[in-house]
Amino acid sequence: MSAVHADEGAGFRGPLDVTRAATAVLDADGTVTGWSPAAESLLGYRAHEAAGRSVGSFVIERPGPYRPSTAVPGAAQARRQVFHMRHRDGRIVRVATASLPLDSTRGGGPGRLLVLADADETDRWEALQSMLRGLATQSPVGLAIYDTALRVVWTNRALYEEGGDGQYTGLGPDEQVEDGRVLDPGRPDTLAETMRAVLATGEAVIDLHYSGRPPSDPAHDHVWSCSYYRLQDPVGHPLGVCEESVDITERYLAQRRLDLLVRAGGMVGKTLDMDRTAQELAAVTVPQFADAVAVDLLDAVLAGDQPAPGTEPARTLVRVWDGPGPSGTRPARRRDPVDPDPDSLQARCLAEGRPVLQDAGPGDTVRSRLAVPLRTEGAALGVVTFCRDRHPDPFGAGDLPVADELVARAAVCIDNARRFTREHTAALTLQRSLLPRHLPQVTGAEVAHRYLPADSGAGVGGDWYDVIALSGTRVGLVVGDVVGHGVRAAATMGRLRTSVRALARLDLPPDELLTRLDELVTQDAHERTAVPDAGEDDALGVTCLYAVYDPVTGRCSMARAGHPPPAVVDPATGGVHHPEVPAGPPLGLGGLPFQSAEFPLPEGSVLALYTDGLVYGRGRDRDAEVAALHTVLADHRRPLEILCDRIVATLLPGPVEDDAALLLVRTRVLDRDEVAVCELADDPEAVGRARAFATGQVDDWGLDGELGFTTELVVSELVTNAIRYASGPIQLRLIRDRTLICEVSDTGHTSPHLRRAGSEDEGGRGLFLVAQMTQQWGTRYTPTGKTIWAEQPLPPDGAPPDG
């Protein structure tokens, strides 16, 4: 039985049905001529008491509205009305009546049949009938009843009217019942299993979703929500299963779009990398929203430049992503230039500054395309193109807000990445400008270096290295690390590198140099704390290692401030060890001492100085990294450039989380023939001996002539000053390197000062003459006194061969 003919069944007869209601027969004047037992039960009057009375005598007029008379279904002349009537015991009863005219061929015969019932019971029955009628004919919820064999025995109209489950079957309710089908074709087989489980267990199944394409809309997928519960007789025997189904396609699509946007908020823009952001956008949208995604960015945006506001014609675009997503099969093309035609979808999208939708044309394999501009603060960053070729539906108006929101979120992330790229490039440029472009050529050491900036979103750091040519052919070696990232860290690194070079030129020993540097860092930190808006990328601490290698003696003096110790390779055995150098505190703590360690470095030793980023990082075992460094360094006879490349490839094969600096040094020892030493007594006669020694040595080196004369004069002045202002033994040392170096050492600790002598002064011109006749001069302090040195350039053919 279907809903259309449901009111014909006996189960739909109400209290006014003549087979169960009270009845009274009235003549043409309204006088009672017949009175049923049910009427006696309803009003209390017996048949002989009611007979002959006017029916109006039972009615009591009461204030208030009465329900107007209505037609009785199935009887055109019957009228239904509610009255208040007096019961025989005096109480008032609400009575629903139905009056039906009777045909009478004889005058004075019955005129009407009056059917009576309790009005409250009638009202309840009519409300129930209204509800059942609504479920059967008006409810948007599809209802079907299946017997125990899962055959359809009843359906309502929602199963075949527009928007209902009937779109899936293509049959009306009566056709389905007459067809006796078990399940509609196309429904999942699991529905039958679900219904059998409901019959067997009696446990209801609520909100079960399934999808399909109904015959009335075969081009689109629909989604239904179904619930099943068992029907049973009064003693609990199963009679069948009732199915409730609702088409929730629109709600389902809206929820999926909302889920898509929520997922995009958590997945897109996790890094400050434009390529990664494009990939993340594709990963979110494919395949739910599109089958493929292409992301094109302006080349200026990729460089970190500020895009121009407004809508502009398509400029130079670069494709940073094109594919179905990271897990797809189609390869992605990275950083490919794109030259869109002015009439192309992308060009129109950029020019108009709004989404542009394009359906497939003749011969086009892509079913639908949607281009959405990437914009932020009124400026175009690029365009995102969504494509559908396998998706069941082309892009429509409902997809535009979703695409707009997805691209807007990606635009914010890409713009943040653009800003970071600009700042990162500026910081990297600053950092590299502060690092030495060309290390000095020194006789005492062969050097090679590498610097790897961080690839992470933290920005560049403050790692640095340096090689400083010192007096007496000595070499200063520096490696440092400013903890922190950003422009301020790079600027701090630049200040410290300049400070180290200035302090190194004072020929300070390593521990004293670090002490002076610590004072500078501490003072700088105090000044920063006085600035309320100091940025988060300020340097958080500084570590440094400073070493001085003397190729004349083959010894190295070193001190470190919280920095990793260097690795040293023995040239004879190839063994790698870390010299015992007191760690010292990081710079900036203030007031804590530093200590130097001195040790020999035989010729050919390889010294590896590095920052923490080379061997330490997230997820890396520091001991294992140091062991790998030792393994590479063991092959120390290879060229230093090759060793640098191998160390970087071994320890940092992928992206770098922190800056890393590496400085490799292979030591050399000056040949004995290039150094001449003369010990002198504290006696004025020693000046003559010193001049003779210097002249003879210059002749032996083939450097006579003008150089011999100036050398004799310089030695005479320096030895004379040592005898006049100091005491104790004096040492004269000549070194032929890239320059001719004259050194005079004594036990005094007072540094001489250059001054201009007056015209009548008898002295004071010695150092002035030395400064005028030499390339440079200076003083350095030693544990036993001081050394005054002066350098003179050699003639082109007078320098010793390298190595």
Side-chain angles (χ1 to χ4, degrees), residues 353-378:
R354 62 176 182 81
V356 177
L357 182 62
Q358 183 182 70
D359 292 330
D364 196 347
T365 59
V366 178
R367 185 175 185 181
S368 180
R369 290 184 177 89
L370 175 60
V372 183
L374 277 161
R375 303 185 64 82
T376 178
E377 298 179 358

Side-chain angles (χ1 to χ4, degrees), residues 89-233:
D89 60 11
R91 56 189 173 90
I92 299 175
V93 180
R94 287 183 68 248
V95 178
T97 65
S99 176
L100 178 65
L102 299 176
D103 292 333
S104 179
T105 58
R106 294 178 301 172
R112 286 182 295 166
L113 177 65
L114 186 66
V115 182
L116 305 95
D118 185 274
D120 293 338
E121 181 184 354
T122 303
D123 290 344
R124 288 191 297 270
W125 179 84
E126 289 181 349
L128 178 61
Q129 284 296 104
S130 177
M131 179 196 70
L132 294 176
R133 191 177 299 107
L135 289 175
T137 62
Q138 299 173 1
S139 173
V141 178
L143 296 174
I145 295 177
Y146 298 82
D147 62 16
T148 55
L150 301 187
R151 292 187 298 266
V152 179
V153 297
W154 183 85
T155 65
N156 69 346
R157 291 186 178 181
L159 286 181
Y160 71 95
E161 290 183 342
E162 181 179 1
D165 196 348
Q167 290 185 343
Y168 203 98
T169 67
L171 297 177
D174 292 333
E175 295 171 304
Q176 294 186 63
V177 173
E178 294 171 1
D179 183 67
R181 62 178 59 226
V182 176
L183 278 179
D184 300 326
R187 287 196 181 188
D189 294 337
T190 53
L191 287 184
E193 298 175 5
T194 300
M195 294 168 69
R196 291 190 181 97
V198 171
L199 274 172
T201 65
E203 296 182 3
V205 175
I206 307 299
D207 198 27
L208 176 67
H209 293 185
Y210 75 92
S211 63
R213 294 189 177 186
S216 61
D217 190 13
H220 300 92
D221 287 332
H222 283 240
V223 179
W224 289 270
S225 170
C226 295
S227 298
Y228 299 91
Y229 51 90
R230 187 170 71 180
L231 302 177
Q232 54 194 29
D233 62 17

Side-chain angles (χ1 to χ4, degrees), residues 6-21:
D7 53 358
E8 296 176 355
F12 286 84
R13 297 172 182 174
L16 288 177
D17 184 75
V18 294
T19 61
R20 54 178 296 194

Side-chain angles (χ1 to χ4, degrees), residues 310-314 342 345-354 375:
T311 57
E312 299 183 11
L345 186 69
Q346 290 81 7
R348 288 164 48 204
C349 175
L350 281 176
E352 298 174 13
R354 62 176 182 81
R375 303 185 64 82

Side-chain angles (χ1 to χ4, degrees), residues 488 492 495-496 499 518-535 538-539 588:
R488 288 184 174 86
T492 301
R495 293 197 301 270
L496 293 178
S499 300
D518 180 60
E519 295 172 355
L520 293 175
V521 174
T522 303
Q523 181 182 359
D524 186 57
H526 289 163
E527 292 174 353
R528 278 205 316 273
T529 57
V531 180
D533 60 344
D538 277 332

Side-chain angles (χ1 to χ4, degrees), residues 353-706:
R354 62 176 182 81
V356 177
L357 182 62
Q358 183 182 70
D359 292 330
D364 196 347
T365 59
V366 178
R367 185 175 185 181
S368 180
R369 290 184 177 89
L370 175 60
V372 183
L374 277 161
R375 303 185 64 82
T376 178
E377 298 179 358
L381 303 175
V383 60
V384 177
T385 306
F386 300 99
C387 301
R388 287 182 178 177
D389 50 6
R390 298 178 301 277
H391 199 278
D393 300 323
F395 289 111
D399 296 312
L400 295 182
V402 179
D404 252 344
E405 181 65 23
L406 286 170
V407 174
R409 296 188 182 193
V412 173
C413 300
I414 289 176
D415 191 53
N416 289 337
R418 178 196 64 80
R419 296 172 187 269
F420 169 77
T421 299
R422 181 180 60 187
E423 297 298 328
H424 185 272
T425 302
L428 189 59
T429 302
L430 173 62
Q431 187 180 41
R432 287 178 171 168
S433 68
L434 296 173
L435 289 172
R437 295 185 179 181
H438 304 287
L439 295 179
Q441 296 294 322
V442 292
T443 303
E446 174 193 356
V447 297
H449 56 89
R450 292 292 183 271
Y451 167 70
L452 286 83
D455 292 331
S456 68
V460 297
D463 293 17
W464 90 93
Y465 57 88
D466 209 347
V467 176
I468 307 170
L470 302 176
S471 64
T473 67
R474 295 171 310 131
V475 182
L477 305 171
V478 190
V479 175
D481 184 0
V482 177
V483 181
H485 296 87
V487 175
R488 288 184 174 86
T492 301
M493 177 272 290
R495 293 197 301 270
L496 293 178
R497 175 175 175 264
T498 303
S499 300
V500 170
R501 293 183 70 87
L503 293 172
R505 296 297 170 83
L506 297 177
D507 282 311
L508 299 175
D511 56 344
E512 186 174 347
L513 183 143
L514 291 182
T515 300
R516 301 278 187 91
L517 195 63
D518 180 60
E519 295 172 355
L520 293 175
V521 174
T522 303
Q523 181 182 359
D524 186 57
H526 289 163
E527 292 174 353
R528 278 205 316 273
T529 57
V531 180
D533 60 344
E536 294 182 357
D537 58 346
D538 277 332
L540 303 178
V542 180
T543 66
C544 184
L545 183 148
Y546 179 64
V548 176
Y549 172 67
D550 189 346
V552 176
T553 64
R555 297 188 67 81
C556 180
S557 178
M558 183 180 300
R560 60 192 181 105
H563 202 84
V568 179
V569 185
D570 188 295
T573 65
V576 184
H577 70 282
H578 296 270
E580 295 292 335
V581 182
L587 301 176
L589 298 183
L592 298 177
F594 300 94
Q595 299 180 41
S596 294
E598 188 172 334
F599 47 87
L601 282 179
E603 184 170 14
S605 298
V606 174
L607 189 65
L609 297 89
Y610 51 87
T611 58
D612 213 34
L614 186 71
V615 297
Y616 181 74
R618 188 182 307 169
R620 299 168 65 191
D621 186 336
R622 189 167 191 165
D623 293 338
E625 297 291 283
V626 172
L629 174 64
H630 289 185
T631 301
V632 178
L633 288 175
D635 195 11
H636 63 99
R637 289 185 175 84
R638 288 183 176 271
L640 293 185
E641 293 292 337
I642 294 179
L643 284 180
C644 278
D645 291 338
R646 290 185 60 189
I647 289 172
V648 170
T650 302
L651 271 65
L652 302 173
V656 182
E657 294 180 353
D658 192 11
D659 287 16
L662 171 66
L663 182 64
L664 292 185
V665 181
R666 178 176 282 123
T667 62
R668 296 171 179 165
V669 176
L670 288 185
D671 204 31
R672 291 184 178 181
D673 295 338
E674 310 303 329
V675 181
V677 180
C678 178
E679 302 293 340
L680 303 172
D682 184 10
D683 188 336
E685 294 182 358
V687 177
R689 288 183 55 206
R691 285 200 298 265
F693 174 80
T695 302
Q697 187 62 53
V698 169
D699 288 341
D700 290 345
W701 282 336
L703 301 175
D704 54 355
E706 183 179 349

